[in-house]
Amino acid sequence: MDQDKKLSVSELTGMIRQCLENSFGPVVVEGELSNYRPSSTGHLYFTLKDSGAVISAVMFKNRLRYLGFEPKDGMLLRVRGSISVYAQRGSYQIICEEMEEAGTGDILAILEKRKRALAAEGLFDEGRKKPIPRFPETVAVISSPTGAAVRDILNILARRAGSIRVIILPAPVQGTEAAPIIARRIEQANQWKLGDVLIVGRGGGSLEDLLPFSEEAVVRAIAGSAIPVVSAVGHEIDWALSDFAADLRAPTPSAAAELVSSSRTEVLEKLRRSAKNLKETMEGRLERARLLIKPFSTEDLEYRFRAMLQPRLLRFDDAKEALLSALSDKIGDMRRRAERALINLEAANPQAIMERGYSVVVREKTGAVLRDARETGPGDRLIIRPLRGIITATTEAVEIPAANTTEG
Amino acid sequence: MKNFEERLERLEELGDNIRKPELPLDDALKAFEEGIRLARSLEKDLEKVESRIEVLMNGPEVKADTPPELDLFNGGD
């Protein structure tokens, strides 16, 4: 044995995985379902077999919503998926993305053939596709008037773009008579210019239910429509040939309604946002302005003004007070001076002296007041005036005290 | 007429002058008369300002196109 080529189990399995997973890509397998076991975790485990082989398969929970039927052991299934290697168990299996009953295969084959033929005519060419008007005023809907599709479309348009007019052109959406009527409605819509955009579609259903929308008459009517057509058939994973002919394929009728109103909604939203912005900006400006003038409220201004006035008032009061007191002080001073002068004057008043018992002595001859004994002599007549009355007297003798003259 | 502050200053000055002992009484009386006249006019001004404040505070909303009141602050009469 060649030692150099020795591999570990993991290495070998890794190589097998690389080989298997990279060389297959997506595969479509048909086989009989057996050993079907949904796990508690929500994934589906099963095997597919035919007379000569068996292969494990799994469909993960996230793909289940696209499963349009309840799988049962013994069913003939067609699955699309990819091969993966599970190294820990040394097994390989197919991871299923889609799964359908194989009986539908015939229909699909017919549709595939028809699709190719119509495509060859150029009915599905990108170049043919017309732009969907951004702001349709009227939307014409060709669908069952009682179906969920019409109800969804009306709801969404009412909510998102209440001003859009909706015209319903009723048509059956399944059965053999459906296709010619749908085609006729598309032509009528064009003939009478019933809308700016057409929505042609229906809600979900089985592959057979959706067949009218794959009929040649419908496909040709859509391709020939002068009015842009939005095709809206079934759910996300459903399709019809009308999807290829339409100017725009919507995954669901609801999505179609959203698509035809999207521009309008965006613009309205933009306008609303702008208006809101404008309002908020303006309110912000006002708020700031309010804050700025807050210090200038009337109360505040009055307070400040009074604060300015107050010192002047005080100063004025003081000045006035000072003036009054200055003059009254002045007058008081003058009055006191005058009073002092009066007291002096009164002190000099002879009457006051005489009241104390003094008399004035006058020489009768001259009327002169005697201040000195020497001014008279013996025999000289005197008039003595006490406070009241007059005394006439004669000098008898004169005495002069020695060295005690008042002569200056 | 001089503005409020100038007149107030004069009033203060007159009060000081009257207090000077060398000012004769006659002159003091003249100064006092001038002072009293000034005091009356100042009092009138103060009343005017007060009532103006009252009017402005309690008056009707000032219209946007009314020019702001400024003459209260420019000293003149």
Side-chain angles (χ1 to χ4, degrees):
Chain A
M1 236 198 276
D2 190 347
Q3 287 292 315
D4 297 342
K5 291 276 175 66
K6 179 172 66 78
L7 293 169
S8 70
V9 176
S10 289
E11 285 167 338
L12 178 59
T13 308
M15 287 159 75
I16 292 169
R17 155 181 273 166
Q18 285 229 313
C19 181
L20 277 184
E21 291 184 0
N22 295 341
S23 55
F24 281 96
V27 291
V28 178
V29 186
E30 249 182 56
E32 190 187 317
L33 173 67
S34 69
N35 207 3
Y36 171 68
R37 48 191 194 287
S39 81
S40 58
T41 52
H43 312 304
L44 305 182
Y45 296 98
F46 53 96
T47 54
L48 284 174
K49 64 179 187 182
D50 60 17
S51 53
V54 71
I55 187 169
S56 305
V58 62
M59 189 174 211
F60 291 119
K61 168 166 78 174
N62 61 335
R63 304 300 302 172
L64 293 192
R65 59 196 146 114
Y66 305 120
L67 202 62
F69 63 98
E70 178 68 31
K72 287 188 188 67
D73 280 359
M75 272 184 176
L76 194 58
L77 290 188
R78 177 182 304 147
V79 304
R80 193 174 62 79
S82 49
I83 303 296
S84 89
V85 172
Y86 187 44
Q88 289 89 329
R89 212 182 295 154
S91 66
Y92 60 92
Q93 64 241 309
I94 180 164
I95 311 281
C96 301
E97 297 292 320
E98 286 173 30
M99 175 157 74
E100 60 190 15
E101 290 184 80
T104 61
D106 307 341
I107 299 172
L108 289 175
I110 293 164
L111 286 185
E112 192 55 39
K113 198 168 144 211
R114 190 183 297 159
K115 181 180 158 190
R116 268 200 291 273
L118 293 170
E121 282 186 45
L123 292 185
F124 304 156
D125 289 358
E126 281 303 316
R128 296 180 60 108
K129 300 211 183 297
K130 299 175 285 296
I132 304 300
R134 291 189 59 198
F135 305 109
E137 283 173 23
T138 311
V139 176
V141 180
I142 297 169
S143 189
S144 162
T146 56
V150 161
R151 200 187 53 230
D152 291 348
I153 290 170
L154 286 176
N155 280 343
I156 283 167
L157 288 183
R159 195 182 68 229
R160 288 167 53 107
S163 61
I164 292 185
R165 285 175 60 219
V166 184
I167 294 178
I168 312 284
L169 285 74
V173 291
Q174 61 197 63
T176 46
E177 78 279 20
I181 297 177
I182 294 169
R184 182 85 196 92
R185 288 281 183 247
I186 295 170
E187 283 152 19
Q188 282 171 339
N190 274 281
Q191 190 181 345
W192 305 110
K193 300 208 170 24
L194 293 181
D196 304 311
V197 63
L198 277 178
I199 298 177
V200 180
R202 53 156 295 154
S206 69
L207 186 60
E208 287 88 348
D209 290 342
L210 308 183
L211 277 179
F213 292 90
S214 292
E215 290 292 328
E216 204 171 317
V218 173
V219 173
R220 287 189 186 282
I222 289 175
S225 171
I227 302 171
V229 177
V230 180
S231 148
V233 179
H235 299 304
E236 200 112 11
I237 53 156
D238 296 329
W239 59 272
L241 293 187
S242 62
D243 288 338
F244 299 100
D247 299 294
L248 182 66
R249 174 188 180 250
T252 62
S254 298
E258 279 167 14
L259 286 168
V260 300
S261 59
S262 67
S263 293
R264 179 180 297 255
T265 317
E266 274 164 32
V267 169
L268 281 176
E269 193 47 46
K270 219 179 206 160
L271 281 174
R272 260 197 294 272
R273 265 205 308 276
S274 299
K276 194 161 159 269
N277 256 332
L278 199 62
K279 188 161 159 278
E280 281 170 359
T281 310
M282 205 61 217
E283 275 169 354
R285 289 290 294 272
L286 274 174
E287 195 46 47
R288 277 205 296 284
R290 253 185 231 115
L291 282 175
L292 279 175
I293 63 166
K294 202 171 152 53
F296 302 103
S297 72
T298 44
E299 288 79 9
D300 225 276
L301 277 174
E302 185 191 22
Y303 172 76
R304 285 200 212 182
F305 197 79
R306 288 203 187 282
M308 204 183 84
L309 205 57
Q310 208 54 38
R312 286 172 173 72
L313 271 171
L314 286 173
R315 223 178 107 187
F316 167 70
D317 285 346
D318 288 351
K320 195 172 147 189
E321 205 50 53
L323 182 83
L324 294 172
S325 69
L327 190 73
S328 73
D329 286 357
K330 185 101 181 164
I331 291 167
D333 285 349
M334 294 293 180
R335 182 174 288 129
R336 274 189 295 280
R337 270 171 71 183
E339 277 168 358
R340 270 200 302 278
L342 191 63
I343 288 165
N344 286 341
L345 208 59
E346 293 210 318
N349 188 352
Q351 186 156 345
I353 299 166
M354 290 159 95
E355 275 181 344
R356 294 210 296 268
Y358 293 90
S359 296
V360 179
V361 181
V362 181
R363 287 183 69 205
E364 195 182 46
K365 205 191 288 181
T366 59
V369 176
L370 277 188
R371 288 187 178 76
D372 194 324
R374 284 174 295 185
E375 289 168 11
T376 184
D380 192 23
R381 286 183 64 83
L382 302 173
I383 293 164
I384 300 168
R385 285 202 191 107
L387 188 60
R388 271 181 298 276
I390 292 173
I391 304 164
T392 311
T394 307
T395 310
E396 288 192 2
V398 175
E399 254 181 68
I400 308 295
N404 191 13
T405 57
T406 51
E407 290 271 53
Chain B
M1 198 175 204
K2 290 192 164 100
N3 74 23
F4 186 92
E5 281 73 13
E6 286 166 332
R7 282 178 284 142
L8 180 54
E9 234 161 83
R10 175 66 183 152
L11 178 60
E12 287 165 334
E13 193 184 10
L14 287 167
D16 291 343
N17 288 349
I18 289 173
R19 287 202 174 278
K20 286 178 184 157
E22 67 271 18
L23 188 78
L25 186 60
D26 285 355
D27 293 351
L29 190 59
K30 282 200 191 82
F32 180 76
E33 280 171 1
E34 187 189 343
I36 288 296
R37 270 200 306 279
L38 276 176
R40 284 217 183 95
S41 86
L42 290 170
E43 227 152 30
K44 218 183 291 174
D45 279 8
L46 285 169
E47 272 165 25
K48 234 190 284 180
V49 170
E50 282 286 350
S51 68
R52 198 67 165 275
I53 292 177
E54 285 305 314
V55 168
L56 289 174
M57 290 302 301
N58 307 321
E61 283 289 306
V62 181
K63 285 196 199 71
D65 56 355
T66 314
E69 293 273 0
L70 290 174
D71 58 343
L72 278 176
F73 300 93
N74 59 16
D77 235 16

